[in-house]
Amino acid sequence: MKPEISLKVNEKFKADYVKGYPLILKESVENIESIRAEGAILRLTDKQGRFIGKGYFGKQNKGYGWVLTRNERDVIDQSFIRGKLESALAKRQSFFDNLSTTAFRVFNGEGDGFGGFTIDYFAGYYLVSWYSEGVYTFKAEVVAALSELVEFKGIYQKKRFDTKGQYIEEDDFVAGERGEFPLIVKENNMNYAVYLNDGAMTGIFLDQRDVRYTIKEKYARGKTVLNTFSYTGAFSVAAALGGAAKTTSVDLAKRSSSKTIEQFSVNNIDYESQDILVMDVFNYFNYAKRKEMKYDLVILDPPSFARSKKYTFSATKDYTNLMKEAIEITEDDGLIVASTNSASFGMKKFKGFIDKAFKDLGKKYSIVEEFTLPSDFRVQKEFKEGDYLKVLFVKMQ
Ligand code: SAH
């Protein structure tokens, strides 16, 4: 049995939790910082001791745990977890039925009723990502419940919390049979090479599926494409398959080059006809400006925070400047795909950053496409921060 700890919610936050806000914050409950028992069941009450909700303690980069139910009779056990997984799986039936896409999210943390872990499906394999030591204490129940509900080739996991430097590769494999990596998954009939046993990342960010498809289907044909912060080049692959004249992928990470070559190769695209550069995006902007190079399509998908030798980038502070750099190397009738995964601001503010960039440069634009998270990344309406993705297709005028 897990220990159960009662916590009083501060008056100011009571209404939020009563309405269903799921994240337990330092300032919203009394004395949360004194708790050490990762995975302990938390019973939230108001000042008078009246029940508000039940959850667990799990320290994440944001928050100290999640509320899981507002029903006092619920017990947080395997059957509770099974119920959440079952309803999440049912909501993804159309994804399982669609044979042109074999990689998608089946369980999206709080969006599916249990914050702190996610489950992705990759061509017969399931990948569970754990975001705190606390949620990891539910591993046996989650794996058992999942095994009861689905047929699988194998189950893998990623610990996305501080394991105090003890990263053990063996730890990635959980159940079933081991996969052979890269695993080739399909996304709208494009191929992507995926690794479930190689550090924090898999090689593809599934939340950009609709954006990749839109680039391929509507905006790539005949175009010169610059993909900045390109990682494994997933956007470049989509553009090339959509008939781009040429793609240029720029990323600082040394590994990005071989990873991008691999993504092109599994799609039978000759990578030598594409440019793949390992360098700082900001240096590349300077280089392109000096050479008076311009692109028809520029893709911007920076991390929320990044520090390189010469530059620091924070989406909140620097997106306008990044956008200005992009505008200067985009053709007059070109298009910029501006993306951010920062949860610190919403769509309105993001549009403000874009607008300011054009105003500062005295240029006009129109927004031709707008994306947030795709439907498999379910979000809870009481938890707006969970809806982190914002992507705008901005047409120069
Ligand atoms: N757009 C990618 C995901 C980007 S992840 C996709 O859709 O798959 C962020 C990437 O930015 C990382 O690969 C990181 O190496 C890279 N990066 C961070 N700072 C950078 C910089 N200053 N210049 C170039 N790349 C950078």
Side-chain angles (χ1 to χ4, degrees), residues 205 229-231 234-235 251-253 279-282 301 303 306 308:
F205 289 102
F229 307 96
S230 56
Y231 181 45
F235 285 126
D251 196 291
L252 194 59
M279 71 185 281
D280 194 306
V281 160
F282 296 97
D301 182 28
S308 59

Side-chain angles (χ1 to χ4, degrees), residues 95-103 185-190:
F95 283 88
F96 283 104
D97 293 341
N98 173 2
L99 301 180
S100 60
T101 295
T102 59
V185 300
K186 278 196 184 307
E187 184 188 272
N188 294 307
N189 284 324
M190 298 182 264

Side-chain angles (χ1 to χ4, degrees), residues 206-209 211 301 339-343 345 347 350 371-374 384-391:
L206 298 178
D207 54 3
Q208 297 278 15
R209 177 189 315 112
V211 178
D301 182 28
S339 171
T340 180
N341 60 6
S342 173
F345 53 87
M347 186 59 101
F350 187 46
F371 293 88
T372 55
L373 284 174
K384 293 272 180 288
E385 308 95 293
D387 197 3
Y388 57 85
L389 187 70
K390 296 163 277 292
V391 186

Side-chain angles (χ1 to χ4, degrees), residues 245-264:
K246 186 180 172 183
T247 67
T248 303
S249 305
V250 184
D251 196 291
L252 194 59
K254 286 211 176 60
R255 288 182 78 197
S256 65
S257 165
S258 57
K259 293 281 183 188
T260 303
I261 289 173
E262 180 175 51
Q263 299 293 20
F264 278 128

Side-chain angles (χ1 to χ4, degrees), residues 78-351:
Q78 187 174 318
S79 111
F80 178 87
I81 291 170
R82 187 193 150 111
K84 299 288 179 198
L85 291 185
E86 197 166 17
S87 86
L89 286 160
K91 289 177 182 123
R92 275 68 173 191
Q93 196 52 52
S94 64
F95 283 88
F96 283 104
D97 293 341
N98 173 2
L99 301 180
S100 60
T101 295
T102 59
F104 50 90
R105 178 149 293 189
V106 296
F107 192 86
N108 196 37
E110 75 286 353
D112 283 299
F114 201 121
F117 77 99
T118 61
I119 307 177
D120 294 323
Y121 176 82
F122 293 100
Y125 290 85
Y126 287 81
L127 173 68
V128 188
S129 299
W130 310 101
Y131 288 87
S132 71
E133 214 178 312
V135 77
Y136 192 63
T137 65
F138 294 96
K139 174 179 171 177
E141 289 90 338
V142 170
V143 172
L146 184 63
S147 306
E148 280 174 20
L149 292 167
V150 296
E151 286 186 25
F152 56 84
K153 289 184 181 151
I155 301 177
Y156 278 76
Q157 68 177 2
K158 289 193 189 295
K159 295 184 189 171
R160 304 290 300 271
F161 54 93
D162 185 9
T163 49
K164 310 200 167 59
Q166 295 177 331
Y167 176 75
I168 310 161
E169 207 172 291
E170 276 302 292
D171 234 23
D172 289 348
F173 177 70
V174 177
E177 59 183 69
R178 284 171 195 273
E180 272 184 43
F181 301 109
L183 186 67
I184 308 301
V185 300
K186 278 196 184 307
E187 184 188 272
N188 294 307
N189 284 324
M190 298 182 264
N191 293 329
Y192 286 103
V194 163
Y195 293 79
L196 306 183
N197 61 341
D198 187 24
M201 309 294 210
T202 60
I204 184 165
F205 289 102
L206 298 178
D207 54 3
Q208 297 278 15
R209 177 189 315 112
D210 297 345
V211 178
R212 284 187 283 268
Y213 186 62
T214 304
I215 288 174
K216 170 174 173 271
E217 293 295 304
K218 290 173 71 176
Y219 297 101
R221 184 150 302 279
K223 307 293 193 212
T224 55
V225 179
L226 173 65
N227 181 12
T228 63
F229 307 96
S230 56
Y231 181 45
T232 63
F235 285 126
S236 309
V237 166
L241 290 173
K246 186 180 172 183
T247 67
T248 303
S249 305
V250 184
D251 196 291
L252 194 59
K254 286 211 176 60
R255 288 182 78 197
S256 65
S257 165
S258 57
K259 293 281 183 188
T260 303
I261 289 173
E262 180 175 51
Q263 299 293 20
F264 278 128
S265 302
V266 299
N267 285 286
N268 298 315
I269 300 163
D270 174 15
Y271 67 86
E272 289 186 344
S273 60
Q274 314 292 327
D275 276 343
I276 301 168
L277 305 169
V278 175
M279 71 185 281
D280 194 306
V281 160
F282 296 97
N283 288 337
Y284 189 77
F285 285 134
N286 291 337
Y287 166 81
K289 275 190 279 188
R290 219 168 42 239
K291 297 266 172 186
E292 294 180 17
M293 294 160 73
K294 293 214 167 178
Y295 294 88
D296 298 316
L297 174 60
V298 175
I299 300 165
L300 300 176
D301 182 28
S304 301
F305 294 98
R307 178 168 291 153
S308 59
K309 279 196 192 107
K310 259 168 64 189
Y311 309 94
T312 35
F313 175 84
S314 131
T316 315
K317 287 202 202 106
D318 304 317
Y319 213 104
T320 294
N321 276 336
L322 176 65
M323 192 67 192
K324 281 194 207 167
E325 298 274 15
I327 293 167
E328 290 188 281
I329 59 163
T330 305
E331 295 284 1
D332 289 343
D333 58 350
L335 184 77
I336 299 172
V337 174
S339 171
T340 180
N341 60 6
S342 173
S344 315
F345 53 87
M347 186 59 101
K348 202 170 160 198
K349 200 159 170 189
F350 187 46
K351 285 183 175 170

